[in-house]
Amino acid sequence: MATITFYEKPGCKGNLRQKTLLAAAGHTVLAKNLKSEPWTVDRLLAFLGKLPVADWFNRAAPAVKSGEIVPENLGFEDAQHLLLDNPLLIRRPLMEIGEERMVGFDTAAVDAWVGLKNVELPEGNIEACVHGPEGHGSCGSHAHEEEEDARCGTH
């Protein structure tokens, strides 16, 4: 079993579902706050560098959903600056085991990486944000961070 450093937005129900799944598969999850982590360009690129720039972004972030930020239209350096200025724009979770890193929570990729040991997977997109019984929301807002933090219990 692996010990996984898991960078999350504390209180995010989607991240909670992901951590629960990893723990059910026998892994140890060390959760860290994505917002308060001292990110640098090099450290962030260790996670994101192999992905296309557009895949660096949290698609549930209101600025992305509203079209204020269009990841497909951003250059490498502009994207880096946006993510460093507002870590809630970073696609999450970021996961790390030693020098190996993963971005997002695609269950097939996570299973191939660390093994999910035939744990029953929840229905729906496990990478999606979940708020309340309606199952939608925005874990990633900068503009609406206070409102969202109240929903996600992180204020």
Side-chain angles (χ1 to χ4, degrees), residues 28-124:
T28 301
V29 179
L30 303 175
K32 291 195 170 190
N33 186 335
L34 184 74
K35 296 188 316 183
S36 63
E37 204 55 34
W39 296 108
T40 64
V41 169
D42 289 340
R43 189 152 177 253
L44 199 53
L45 288 178
F47 286 93
L48 305 173
K50 294 180 182 179
L51 297 173
V53 169
D55 290 346
W56 296 0
F57 286 81
N58 173 5
R59 295 297 175 159
V64 174
K65 286 174 72 172
S66 73
E68 177 185 337
I69 295 174
V70 180
E72 291 77 11
N73 294 344
L74 293 171
F76 190 78
E77 289 184 15
D78 289 336
Q80 290 174 25
H81 291 297
L82 283 170
L83 297 176
L84 290 173
D85 288 345
N86 182 6
L88 290 179
L89 290 172
I90 300 170
R91 182 176 171 199
R92 54 181 194 270
L94 299 180
M95 295 179 285
E96 181 173 48
I97 302 170
E99 296 301 313
E100 296 180 50
R101 294 170 181 89
M102 181 172 278
V103 178
F105 205 96
D106 174 275
T107 52
V110 173
D111 188 30
W113 183 43
V114 295
L116 294 178
K117 308 292 182 215
N118 297 320
V119 172
E120 186 176 332
L121 300 177
E123 290 186 29

Side-chain angles (χ1 to χ4, degrees), residues 4-28:
I4 302 166
T5 303
F6 188 98
Y7 297 93
E8 65 172 343
K9 178 175 180 199
C12 175
K13 291 180 183 179
N15 286 157
L16 177 61
R17 292 172 58 207
Q18 297 156 356
K19 292 185 302 185
T20 300
L21 182 62
L22 290 167
H27 302 293
T28 301

